[in-house]
Amino acid sequence: ANNSIAATTNTGTTPPLHHSTMSAAFLNTLKKVPVPVFGSAATAIKFATRKATSLPRYAPWGAPLVAGGLWFVWPAVDEEWKQSMGIGSSPAAAAPAAEKEEEAALVVELSEEAKEKVEKAYVLETVTVELSEEEKAVMKSVANGDFSVLEKDWDTFAEKAIIPGDGDDDDDDDDDDDDDEDDDEEEEDEE
């Protein structure tokens, strides 16, 4: 053993090390392990090591990326987990705040008249509307399942709906005409 060390010192070369054969065997094993997108683990490791050399260039972006990620993710993190990690507020701290809110709430006593109004606030008054004879006939035929009475109205609506803008502006035009007439009358009154 001493002779081989002396021989290497004389020639200046180092003896073959055991770990170089281990790394070759490990690399051969990695070539056989399939990895999606890259094909094999060896290709994935080569790609990762080449990309890792450019990481110092992107280091200044690390803090803003972490802050932005936490800004979006932190609200979604479970409160129990935050408390177990000692980061979130404990439920004991939230309890006094709830007690203060309860104390702040005032109890209001209502008079009988006010209570009665509250009870009747959502009750709808029944209003009876008197229908014309034509409307009664339409309601009767619809109740029997005969909608042919309404076909004329449906056809009229469909015709108006087919032509956009036509018929829609009639009311606006009438309003504009009325406004123009009112303006003309005001001008005549001023003179």
Side-chain angles (χ1 to χ4, degrees), residues 29-64:
T29 305
L30 284 179
K31 287 181 181 177
K32 296 176 184 174
V33 176
V35 174
V37 178
F38 296 101
S40 70
T43 309
I45 290 173
K46 282 183 187 178
F47 178 79
T49 54
R50 289 211 178 138
K51 291 299 177 184
T53 58
S54 64
L55 278 181
R57 199 169 64 181
Y58 300 112
W61 288 98

Side-chain angles (χ1 to χ4, degrees), residues 58-181:
Y58 300 112
W61 288 98
L65 285 175
V66 168
L70 283 177
W71 184 25
F72 285 110
V73 173
W74 190 251
V77 175
D78 186 38
E79 286 297 322
E80 285 184 24
W81 182 85
K82 289 179 188 177
Q83 291 168 5
S84 70
M85 299 302 289
I87 300 171
S89 62
S90 66
E99 290 175 8
K100 288 179 184 176
E101 288 179 19
E102 289 176 9
E103 290 174 7
L106 298 175
V107 177
V108 178
E109 291 294 324
L110 297 176
S111 66
E112 290 300 319
E113 182 183 344
K115 288 179 182 178
E116 208 173 291
K117 286 183 179 180
V118 169
E119 291 294 325
K120 293 181 179 177
Y122 295 102
V123 176
L124 298 176
E125 295 179 20
T126 56
V127 179
T128 56
V129 177
E130 205 53 43
L131 298 177
S132 67
E133 292 300 320
E134 182 182 339
E135 291 172 333
K136 287 180 183 178
V138 169
M139 293 296 288
K140 184 178 180 182
S141 63
V142 168
N144 292 332
D146 180 22
F147 295 95
S148 62
V149 179
L150 299 173
E151 286 181 6
K152 181 180 177 187
D153 294 333
W154 293 341
D155 290 340
T156 306
F157 175 79
E159 287 176 16
K160 286 184 178 179
I162 291 173
I163 305 169
D166 186 46
D168 296 340
D169 298 332
D170 290 345
D171 294 335
D172 294 336
D173 292 341
D174 292 342
D175 291 342
D176 291 341
D177 293 341
D178 291 342
D179 291 342
D180 291 341
E181 289 174 9

Side-chain angles (χ1 to χ4, degrees), residues 1-11 13 15:
N2 288 341
N3 291 341
S4 65
I5 293 175
T8 55
T9 5
N10 292 342
T11 58
T13 62

